[in-house]
Amino acid sequence: METFEELDDWHRELRSHFPILTDGPDQAYLDSAATAQKPRAVLDTVQHYLTTANANAGRGTYTWANATTALVERTRTRVAAFLGDPAPGRPSGVHFTSGTTEGLRTIARDWLPGHLRDGDEIIVPFADHQANLLPWLEAQQQLAGQGVRIRVRELPYDPASHDYDHRALPALVTGRTAFVAATHVHHVYGGDMNVHRIRAAVGPDVPICLDAAQSVGHLPVDVGGLDVDFVVFSGHKAMALPGTGAVWARNTRGAAFRPGGWSGTPNTCGIASLEAALDWLDAAGTDRIRRWTTALAGRLTDGLRGCAAYRILGCQQSLAADSTVQRREGIVTFRHRAIPSNDLGFVLASHGLMVRADGHCQGRAGESESSVRVSLHAYNSPAEIDRLLAVLRSL
Ligand code: PLP
């Protein structure tokens, strides 16, 4: 309650920046883990770029081409600074992608095989988003075709909290552990996966790749504090245009990350939108965004726990923001005990409540049954949560 009162003015002002929300007040967009809505500053930046400087980057010597090349290089530095990199470009680097899937796949295809030797082991998550599992398994297969055998081990989970089992992890680490992939915030259970604890378990030399699709733009992400080697995220989930994303690479453990092949024309207006989105997020304050979305998630979990018909997946409590155990970010996933989740999704949609109801692209060890996911951002309001709860209670 305190958070809502304290941040009420901030929230009202901020919500007014989203034309899609102010033009459709009867609709409650509760699917920001899939993609986020765009503030006017991002939309205006795209319009401005396309009407004043649209050209290709890294080719041409005329004004618009130079402006576009400068935009792309400036946004690389902007992404690194947004992630807390104290010295962008020295030796770290930023590579633009269409999203997290392409970013992880590029690391698995262009960097990982050269880093691994016969008999090496990698530790990867089997119940996170499949974008953070399939590329590693494909790399294993590709290497097997070349006679290089890699052992893939499952990053262990604690079944009660759905956090990683950080106590079990050290026992999996051997002298051949050469790479770890993890997820910052779980896209189904909403838990902060305490990835800052992985470095101590794996030692100083093992590269760690972080899927930050559900954290960048939602909470402060600091590559220094996390001591990871890759941060991969989707710009479109952080309020930039669809088809945007980036890989930040530290480039100090193993070879430097140099995506292979000719990648062609970059998504220049997407990159312009990404720069504007990061500026907007910094001005809004990712620490305040986190407080707000955590409080909204708490309101929803508290409301659902009072309803016997619903079961919340993952951590059963809305943990306080300062919890050292596990923090639930702005994602709450649940099932009705009798109504199939897909049907529930249609019912909610008929009330203007836009949620996701399916299996959420979870990896091999994920839930076998679909569920309803409510995922929140700074623009969502307590009134929207109350509307959702009223409909859920009426069923
Ligand atoms: N990783 C996580 C944790 C996600 O939540 C998602 C998307 O939902 C992805 C990866 C894939 O992101 P994209 O579809 O932008 O490539």
Side-chain angles (χ1 to χ4, degrees):
M1 185 52 83
E2 233 175 55
T3 304
F4 293 132
E5 277 164 18
E6 239 177 81
L7 295 182
D8 189 50
D9 290 345
W10 168 84
H11 168 73
R12 272 174 206 281
E13 216 276 311
L14 178 155
R15 187 174 163 102
S16 72
H17 292 208
F18 292 83
I20 198 169
L21 303 178
T22 48
D23 293 350
D26 296 339
Q27 303 293 314
Y29 184 72
L30 301 167
D31 195 18
S32 291
T35 197
Q37 298 304 340
K38 322 301 176 203
R40 186 176 295 288
V42 167
L43 304 175
D44 288 350
T45 297
V46 171
Q47 165 109 0
H48 181 74
Y49 169 72
L50 289 174
T51 52
T52 61
N54 179 40
N56 214 318
R59 310 145 169 86
T61 49
Y62 50 89
T63 328
W64 294 351
N66 291 341
T68 300
T69 303
L71 162 75
V72 172
E73 293 317 312
R74 194 170 69 233
T75 307
R76 278 190 221 285
T77 309
R78 185 72 186 86
V79 167
F82 189 79
L83 299 176
D85 181 346
R90 282 173 291 147
S92 63
V94 169
H95 169 71
F96 294 111
T97 67
S98 62
T100 306
T101 304
E102 192 201 327
L104 293 168
R105 180 152 279 146
T106 305
I107 296 167
R109 188 192 59 210
D110 295 344
W111 180 85
L112 189 62
H115 176 72
L116 298 176
R117 287 171 299 126
D118 190 45
D120 275 350
E121 299 177 0
I122 65 174
I123 304 178
V124 304
F126 276 59
D128 295 356
H129 197 287
Q130 60 190 11
N132 199 11
L133 172 63
L134 301 182
W136 317 126
L137 299 180
E138 284 162 15
Q140 180 194 32
Q141 264 183 359
Q142 181 196 327
L143 285 166
Q146 297 159 16
V148 178
R149 282 155 308 153
I150 301 301
R151 180 166 184 199
V152 177
R153 310 197 66 159
E154 184 174 346
L155 186 55
Y157 298 85
D158 171 358
S161 67
H162 288 267
D163 188 4
Y164 297 130
D165 187 340
H166 292 282
R167 275 170 306 188
L169 179 57
L172 283 189
V173 178
T174 71
R176 299 308 306 265
T177 304
F179 177 77
V180 177
T183 302
H184 200 184
V185 170
H186 201 282
H187 73 294
V188 179
Y189 308 116
D192 181 319
M193 304 299 280
N194 285 309
V195 290
H196 60 283
R197 298 177 64 181
I198 295 177
R199 173 60 62 208
V202 301
D205 302 325
V206 177
I208 301 173
C209 174
L210 192 62
D211 173 346
Q214 298 301 344
S215 56
V216 169
H218 290 79
L219 50 123
V221 176
D222 172 26
V223 293
L226 295 171
D227 198 4
V228 293
D229 301 276
F230 295 99
V231 172
V232 186
F233 70 96
S234 301
H236 69 91
K237 295 185 201 284
M239 300 187 178
L241 287 191
T244 58
V247 172
W248 172 89
R250 183 182 297 278
N251 290 336
T252 56
R253 293 182 180 97
F257 173 59
R258 287 211 179 75
W262 170 245
S263 54
T265 301
N267 177 0
T268 49
C269 75
I271 290 169
S273 78
L274 183 57
E275 184 186 38
L278 299 184
D279 287 349
W280 188 91
L281 288 162
D282 263 343
T286 45
D287 46 351
R288 272 181 293 190
I289 293 174
R290 168 186 237 174
R291 272 184 64 201
W292 184 262
T293 53
T294 305
L296 290 172
R299 193 176 183 104
L300 180 54
T301 49
D302 289 349
L304 282 177
R305 266 184 296 130
C307 274
Y310 294 94
R311 191 171 74 77
I312 302 170
L313 305 191
C315 183
Q316 294 299 302
Q317 295 163 5
S318 60
L319 292 167
D322 58 356
S323 166
T324 52
V325 187
Q326 193 187 24
R327 178 164 30 210
R328 182 188 282 281
E329 303 294 343
I331 296 176
V332 179
T333 301
F334 55 87
R335 291 196 190 103
H336 189 282
R337 292 192 197 272
I339 306 172
S341 296
N342 300 38
D343 295 356
L344 199 50
F346 282 113
V347 173
L348 295 174
S350 73
H351 287 84
L353 297 159
M354 295 180 254
V355 301
R356 173 131 174 216
D358 58 22
H360 315 294
C361 308
Q362 204 174 359
R364 196 185 271 177
E367 302 283 333
S368 53
E369 207 188 308
S370 60
S371 51
V372 174
R373 180 181 73 183
V374 174
S375 54
L376 306 156
H377 217 314
Y379 38 71
N380 290 118
S381 66
E384 289 174 329
I385 300 293
D386 295 346
R387 255 180 71 196
L388 171 65
L389 281 169
V391 175
L392 291 174
R393 284 188 188 116
S394 73
L395 297 175

